[in-house]
């Protein structure tokens, strides 16, 4: 890595630190020619292939802005959204692929959004999964109800054990 100040083609790592969530490494480097220090950040590359064929780097900000509209008027904070975007990134990175489809990113958004707010989830799913009719909404709501009932049953059985 060359020095950004004097363009010397070599630099020395003086310190390495892994980010708290383990997703990146910051390296403090020193240029042996001019003696100045600079920092580099290393992350595994992850790109998203969109439906129109364009590929762009994965961005948590894009996840947040994509979901924000569905959360309008709902009790969802910016911190909630930041955490959701982090979960989505973890899910997508867990696939181990350097490039994922926008569709898979959308699918990775659905479960954590549902945990966050069911109304926001339904709004997002209706756009994302292209709900056309009331039947689509009713089917999605019925699925939520069934799963809520199932989780209520399982926590009731856990309580009785
Ligand atoms: Zn230098």
């Amino acid at each position: 890595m060359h020095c950004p100040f004097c363009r010397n083609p070599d630099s020395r790592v003086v310190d390495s630190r892994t980010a708290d969530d383990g997703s990146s490494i910051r390296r403090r480097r020193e240029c042996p020619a001019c003696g100045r220090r600079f920092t580099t950040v290393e992350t595994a590359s992850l790109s998203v292939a969109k439906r129109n064929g364009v590929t762009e780097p994965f961005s948590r900000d894009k996840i947040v802005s994509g979901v924000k509209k569905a959360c309008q008027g709902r009790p969802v904070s910016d911190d909630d959204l930041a955490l959701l975007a982090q979960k989505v990134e973890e899910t997508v990175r867990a696939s181990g692929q350097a490039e994922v489809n926008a569709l898979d990113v959308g699918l990775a958004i659905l479960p954590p959004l549902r945990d966050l707010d069911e109304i926001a989830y339904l709004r997002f799913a209706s756009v994302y999964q292209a709900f056309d009719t009331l039947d689509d909404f009713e089917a999605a709501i019925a699925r939520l109800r069934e799963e809520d009932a199932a989780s209520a049953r399982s926590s009731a059985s856990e309580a009785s054990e």
Side-chain angles (χ1 to χ4, degrees):
M1 168 110 209
H2 67 227
C3 169
F5 303 105
C6 72
R7 299 268 151 197
N8 185 60
D10 193 25
S11 62
R12 194 168 64 88
V13 175
V14 290
D15 186 37
S16 283
R17 209 163 286 181
T18 307
D20 289 341
D21 63 359
S23 66
S24 64
I25 294 179
R26 300 173 75 84
R27 293 188 207 280
R28 198 79 185 126
R29 292 171 180 270
E30 188 178 270
C31 172
C34 70
R36 289 210 248 188
R37 291 187 170 193
F38 56 98
T39 302
T40 55
V41 179
E42 183 181 304
T43 55
S45 81
L46 178 62
S47 49
V48 179
K50 301 208 292 185
R51 252 169 284 187
N52 59 12
V54 175
T55 299
E56 59 182 27
F58 178 90
S59 148
R60 288 191 194 182
D61 289 346
K62 287 224 166 101
I63 301 294
V64 169
S65 59
V67 167
K68 213 162 197 169
K69 209 172 159 192
C71 296
Q72 262 171 16
R74 302 298 305 162
V76 174
S77 70
D78 286 347
D79 284 350
D80 291 335
L81 289 176
L83 195 61
L84 178 135
Q86 185 186 325
K87 283 182 187 163
V88 171
E89 180 170 353
E90 283 165 6
T91 305
V92 172
R93 282 192 186 277
S95 72
Q97 294 166 292
E99 185 179 304
V100 292
N101 287 319
L103 203 69
D104 295 328
V105 176
L107 285 176
I109 290 172
L110 291 171
L113 184 57
R114 211 184 88 179
D115 291 343
L116 202 56
D117 188 273
E118 288 184 345
I119 300 297
Y121 163 79
L122 281 173
R123 286 178 185 159
F124 184 82
S126 71
V127 175
Y128 180 72
Q129 297 178 321
F131 287 9
D132 295 322
T133 64
L134 272 179
D135 288 348
D136 292 334
F137 275 99
E138 279 171 5
I141 291 167
R143 269 200 303 279
L144 283 176
R145 288 223 169 100
E146 273 168 26
E147 285 165 25
D148 279 355
S151 69
R153 272 198 301 278
S154 72
S155 53
S157 67
E158 273 163 30
S160 67
E161 274 165 22

